[in-house]
Each structure stands twice: as C-alpha cells, then as structure tokens.
Amino acid sequence: MSKSERPIRLFRNLNAKVASIPMILTALVVFVGGTAWTVLYSFTNSKLLPRLNFVGLDQYHRLWATPRWLISIENLLIYGVISLVFSLVIGFILAALLDQKIRFEDTFRTIFLYPFALSFIVTGLVWQWLLNPDFGIQGVIRGLGWTSFNFDPLYNSSIVIYGISIAALWQGTGLIMCLMLAGLRGIDEDIWKAARVDGIPMWKTYLFIIIPMMRPVFITTLVIIASGIVKVYDLVVAQTSGGPGIASEVPAKYVYDYMFFAQNLGQGFAASTMMLLSVMIVIVPWAYLEFGGRKRV
C-alpha cells in the first residue's frame, strides 16, 4: 500500500469512528481510570477521605488477617461452586428436555425464565419468606402434622450460604437454560440423524458429540455465571444482611461496609482490588480461549 493511500484508509468510516469516541472515553476514564485509582489508593491508609499516604501492603496484610474477610471468601467459594455446577447441570438438562419438541414448550420456557426477570432484592425477599421457619416451608410442613421437620437454612450459621444458593439457583437457572437451548438449536439436524443411524445412545450423543460442539456456548455461560458469583451482594443483603452474625458475609458486602460504614477507604479499596483480581482470573482464560486460540488456527 502506498503512502498516499494510508490517510484515506485512516479516515474510512469516519462517522462511525467519531461516534465511538464517547464510548472510548468512557471506557478509558470511567473503567480504566477508576480501576487504576482504586488499586493506587489500596496502598494508602485512607479513612473517611482518600489521601496519598502510602503504607505499602499493610492494607492487604490486615485484610487477610481479618476473620470476616476469610469467612466471606469461604462463602464465595461455596456459593460459586454450587452456582456453577448446579446451574450448568440443571440448565442443560432443562434445555435438553425442551429441545425434544414437547407440547407447551413456550409456556415452560416462560415459566423457567420468569424468575430471571426479578431483581435479586425481590428474589431474596421471596426466599427469605419461604425459608422462614414460622410461616415458610417449615411452618407449612409442620402444620400438616410432620412436627419434626426442620428446614431453616437462613437461621443456621453453618448452612446459611446454602440457603442463599437455593435462591440464586432459582433465579439464574432459567437464563442458563435459554443459553443452552439456543446452543442445542444450533446443532445441525444431520448430526442427530447420523447418531441415531449409528445406534449411539442418547446420553453418549450428548456427552461425546453435542457438548463438545457447544464449547463456545459453555465458555460464554461460564463467564456469565462467574461474573455473577464474584459480584453477589444484593441477594445476601435481602435475605440475611450477612447474618446470622457474619456467617453469610461475601466480599462485595465487605467492601461496601468498610467503605461506607466503617469509613475505611483503604481497606475497602484493598478488598476491591482482590475482587478485581478474581475477575481477571475469569476474564483472562476466557479471552485466551476465545481469541488466542483462533489466531493459531
């Protein structure tokens, strides 16, 4: 390409490039700038207001020595494993069932997806009522005569995170089902016909043929689930407010409480940076799988 053609190519689609300037500036100033600002001030002893008084890694040492933070990390791991495994498994099974061209498919799809239309606050309040030992599921079962029945996870500090996970699965599984169903509908019908002709059992067809072909769908779904796991906050606040005690604390609530209630910005920034690191652990492998692998092909 000659030098005289380069300016012409630079100004090609100029209207689109000019229109994208506000979004580029937003990404640079708000996202990149805000992230850099948070990381920078996590190395300071900022309290009520941010100040550049650097203390090195003191905030991180204090963070990982705080029992409340350790409990929140443990809860996040438990919540993450449950959400990741069960939402994928249940969502895929529901999608496979709906993919059988059953009657009233649209009705069932709407029913399964409806909880996703609710906010986490509404979902949390609904399940707070359902899991209430006096007038929720436990109260109803005991009213039917089974007086020894116990089901009060939100009031038991050892299993409270599992009660929160139930509400999260109820809300999010419908979205996973729709993503999986879209992936299944994208499979060529000839694949199914060839599997039936070869006499391959249905479960083997799904396990060894269909699921590997749905790799992009699974990767996208994993990223969506993982991002929701890291930022879980409102569901916990609506159901337990972190209780009993601090038994259901999560990192996002820890950050909020330290920044706006404890007035310890440095500690909140350090916790935010650790959450950012967890997001990077999710995003970087996804970007590598999605884009790095394509360049080698």
Side-chain angles (χ1 to χ4, degrees):
M1 180 182 296
S2 63
K3 293 183 179 180
S4 60
E5 293 179 350
R6 290 178 183 174
I8 298 176
R9 185 161 190 171
L10 177 63
F11 292 105
R12 187 178 299 172
N13 298 324
L14 183 60
N15 291 336
K17 292 178 180 178
V18 171
S20 66
I21 290 177
M23 182 57 66
I24 295 174
L25 292 177
T26 300
L28 291 176
V29 175
V30 176
F31 297 112
V32 178
T35 300
W37 191 82
T38 299
V39 174
L40 175 66
Y41 277 90
S42 69
F43 297 102
T44 69
N45 63 349
S46 301
K47 296 296 183 180
L48 177 60
L49 296 174
R51 56 182 181 178
L52 284 174
N53 186 9
F54 291 99
V55 292
L57 297 174
D58 286 357
Q59 295 289 2
Y60 293 93
H61 292 156
R62 190 176 298 114
L63 178 68
W64 288 101
T66 305
R68 183 178 176 183
W69 173 256
L70 298 178
I71 290 174
S72 69
I73 292 297
E74 180 183 355
N75 286 335
L76 187 67
L77 291 175
I78 296 173
Y79 175 87
V81 171
I82 293 174
S83 298
L84 198 63
V85 174
F86 283 92
S87 60
L88 274 177
V89 172
I90 297 174
F92 184 82
I93 291 175
L94 291 175
L97 293 174
L98 289 180
D99 194 43
Q100 305 304 312
K101 306 298 189 297
I102 63 174
R103 295 180 62 185
F104 306 111
E105 176 189 331
D106 293 341
T107 302
F108 284 115
R109 189 168 61 240
T110 302
I111 292 173
F112 291 140
L113 187 60
Y114 175 76
F116 185 72
L118 303 177
S119 69
F120 270 122
I121 293 294
V122 174
T123 299
L125 292 176
V126 168
W127 279 93
Q128 182 191 56
W129 179 83
L130 288 174
L131 299 178
N132 186 287
D134 295 325
F135 47 83
I137 296 174
Q138 176 178 297
V140 172
I141 298 299
R142 287 187 175 185
L144 295 176
W146 192 358
T147 57
S148 62
F149 179 80
N150 288 311
F151 188 63
D152 56 347
L154 298 185
Y155 297 84
N156 188 333
S157 60
S158 60
I159 60 173
V160 62
I161 194 64
Y162 298 99
I164 295 173
S165 299
I166 292 173
L169 289 173
W170 179 78
Q171 188 192 46
T173 303
L175 174 65
I176 307 304
M177 178 207 68
C178 288
L179 293 173
M180 294 295 175
L181 184 60
L184 289 172
R185 293 288 165 84
I187 302 296
D188 195 337
E189 189 66 28
D190 292 337
I191 301 294
W192 296 101
K193 293 179 181 179
R196 285 193 293 267
V197 169
D198 292 339
I200 302 176
M202 181 67 73
W203 67 271
K204 285 189 175 181
T205 303
Y206 277 108
L207 190 60
F208 297 109
I209 300 177
I210 302 303
I211 291 179
M213 294 179 65
M214 292 176 60
R215 174 180 167 274
V217 176
F218 274 94
I219 292 176
T220 302
T221 304
L222 286 173
V223 172
I224 292 174
I225 297 174
S227 62
I229 291 170
V230 172
K231 66 182 183 181
V232 60
Y233 169 79
D234 36 10
L235 186 62
V236 175
V237 172
Q239 286 191 275
T240 65
S241 294
I246 57 173
S248 59
E249 283 288 328
V250 289
K253 187 175 182 299
Y254 182 94
V255 171
Y256 185 87
D257 287 349
Y258 266 82
M259 292 184 68
F260 297 101
F261 291 107
Q263 297 179 354
N264 191 338
L265 291 180
Q267 185 70 184
F269 289 147
S272 299
T273 303
M274 297 309 301
M275 291 182 63
L276 173 64
L277 181 62
S278 64
V279 172
M280 295 300 296
I281 292 174
V282 174
I283 295 297
V284 170
W286 169 76
Y288 176 78
L289 291 173
E290 283 295 297
F291 304 107
R294 294 178 181 175
K295 292 180 180 179
R296 296 194 304 268
V297 176

